[in-house]
Amino acid sequence: MLRRSLENRDAQTRQLQDAVTNVEKHFGELCQIFAAYVRKTARLRDKADLLVNEINVYASTETPKLKQGLKTFADEFAKLQDYRQAEVERLEAKVVEPLKAYGTIVKMKRDDLKATLTARNREAKQLTQLERTRQRNPSDRHVIAETELQRATMDAARTSRHLEETIDSFEKQKIKDIKTIFSEFITIEMLFHGKALEVYTAAYQNIQKIDEEEDLEVFRNSLYPPDYSSRLDIVRANSKSPLQRSLSAKCVSGTGQVSTCRLRKDQQIEDDEEDEDLDVTEEEN
């Protein structure tokens, strides 16, 4: 009967060992993956900061409305990185650290299991000695073995109760911690993505407000300096022949000059007619 009880407690101990080992394995994996997730998020934040800087540099070279829209977008995107930084810090504190703490918790439970196993090994040894003594049947040694076995059994029972209480508390705390850790993870992510949606909405609206036509007009005007028309007139004037420039200077210089030009032209016609009359008179004579 004692042997059967001992075997049952051994099976229980192995089951508890398996439970602790299972937590040690999977909590360790979860801790590493969540930690990598946080590092990736932090690197994404760093890349986003570089993007904000580049957008600001580029915006300073653009037309007014596009410049304003890009700078506003950069400001909103920079604000988002502040929220991402808070996300990183919260994940580290609320998810990674509690999972990491299970390394110490598991170590403590293993120590409890070790103490239990030591007590049960002692009980098993005493039981074996008692059986051997009974086979030999010396009365004194039989009484001594019974006493030692009873002491070992009481010690093992006390250790088993402590182990059961410890493991029960461990299982209860494990379930509670899993619920808390994953609830914190979801809450942190929801808070970040909720803020991200607000920021992205504002950034999108600011980009859509960029006045394309106004910036295009500014760009077109930048191709032609303010004194472009006057310089064009000078070029056109310089492209005329010397005679055209002379006639233009005489005929287009003012009202009085235009009248003088016309008088000179009329006088030239009259002189030509007189010359023709003289030529006709000479032929008749």
Side-chain angles (χ1 to χ4, degrees):
M1 186 174 180
L2 288 174
R3 176 69 64 181
R4 188 179 302 111
S5 176
L6 185 60
E7 290 175 353
N8 290 337
R9 288 200 295 267
D10 285 342
Q12 183 186 40
T13 302
R14 285 193 297 272
Q15 184 178 358
L16 297 178
Q17 282 181 317
D18 292 341
V20 172
T21 301
N22 188 60
V23 169
E24 181 181 34
K25 175 185 176 182
H26 292 290
F27 272 52
E29 290 292 333
L30 287 171
C31 183
Q32 291 182 7
I33 295 172
F34 271 121
Y37 180 93
V38 174
R39 289 194 299 271
K40 288 285 186 180
T41 304
R43 282 198 287 270
L44 180 59
R45 175 207 58 207
D46 295 339
K47 292 298 182 181
D49 288 339
L50 294 176
L51 181 58
V52 169
N53 292 335
E54 179 57 28
I55 291 173
N56 278 318
V57 171
Y58 168 55
S60 64
T61 67
E62 275 296 347
T63 47
K65 292 298 180 181
L66 183 55
K67 177 180 179 180
Q68 180 182 357
L70 288 173
K71 283 190 171 293
T72 306
F73 175 86
D75 291 341
E76 293 292 344
F77 202 57
K79 185 190 302 182
L80 180 62
Q81 304 323 307
D82 294 336
Y83 291 129
R84 202 184 298 276
Q85 174 63 25
E87 176 196 17
V88 168
E89 293 173 357
R90 289 169 182 167
L91 287 173
E92 185 70 31
K94 300 292 186 179
V95 177
V96 177
E97 287 300 323
L99 287 171
K100 190 184 297 183
Y102 262 81
T104 301
I105 294 173
V106 166
K107 184 177 182 299
M108 293 173 60
K109 300 310 171 186
R110 285 198 178 281
D111 291 341
D112 290 339
L113 283 170
K114 184 177 180 181
T116 301
L117 288 174
T118 300
R120 288 184 178 176
N121 288 336
R122 188 184 306 115
E123 182 183 10
K125 183 178 180 181
Q126 293 297 329
L127 179 60
T128 301
Q129 289 179 352
L130 175 61
E131 289 175 347
R132 289 177 179 175
T133 302
R134 282 175 176 173
Q135 290 175 358
R136 295 172 185 172
N137 202 20
S139 59
D140 292 341
R141 301 180 94 185
H142 177 72
V143 172
I144 295 173
E146 288 274 5
T147 303
E148 292 294 330
L149 177 61
Q150 186 177 6
R151 186 182 299 120
T153 302
M154 291 176 61
D155 187 28
R158 184 177 61 254
T159 306
S160 294
R161 285 194 300 270
H162 172 71
L163 178 63
E164 289 174 2
E165 292 172 358
T166 299
I167 292 300
D168 184 79
S169 174
F170 173 73
E171 284 293 308
K172 182 178 179 180
Q173 189 64 41
K174 178 194 73 174
I175 296 171
K176 182 180 179 181
D177 288 342
I178 282 290
K179 290 176 64 177
T180 301
I181 290 170
F182 279 85
S183 295
E184 289 287 353
F185 173 74
I186 294 169
T187 301
I188 293 167
E189 290 296 292
M190 287 176 65
L191 285 172
F192 169 74
H193 288 290
K195 289 293 185 181
L197 183 59
E198 294 177 9
V199 173
Y200 280 132
T201 300
Y204 179 84
Q205 291 172 347
N206 286 319
I207 287 296
Q208 293 303 310
K209 288 179 183 178
I210 296 174
D211 192 328
E212 301 172 33
E213 293 300 327
E214 184 173 338
D215 271 9
L216 186 58
E217 186 65 24
V218 170
F219 174 74
R220 287 169 178 168
N221 290 337
S222 69
L223 296 178
Y224 306 103
D227 60 341
Y228 177 77
S229 298
S230 59
R231 289 192 286 110
L232 182 60
D233 292 338
I234 295 172
V235 171
R236 288 173 178 172
N238 291 335
S239 66
K240 294 180 180 180
S241 64
L243 179 59
Q244 288 175 323
R245 289 200 299 272
S246 176
L247 290 175
S248 296
K250 291 177 181 179
C251 298
V252 189
S253 59
T255 305
Q257 291 178 348
V258 170
S259 300
T260 303
C261 181
R262 288 175 181 172
L263 290 173
R264 289 178 180 175
K265 185 175 181 182
D266 293 340
Q267 184 65 41
Q268 182 67 34
I269 293 172
E270 291 176 359
D271 292 340
D272 291 340
E273 289 177 350
E274 289 178 359
D275 291 339
E276 289 178 359
D277 292 339
L278 290 173
D279 291 338
V280 171
T281 304
E282 289 177 358
E283 288 177 359
E284 289 177 353
N285 294 333

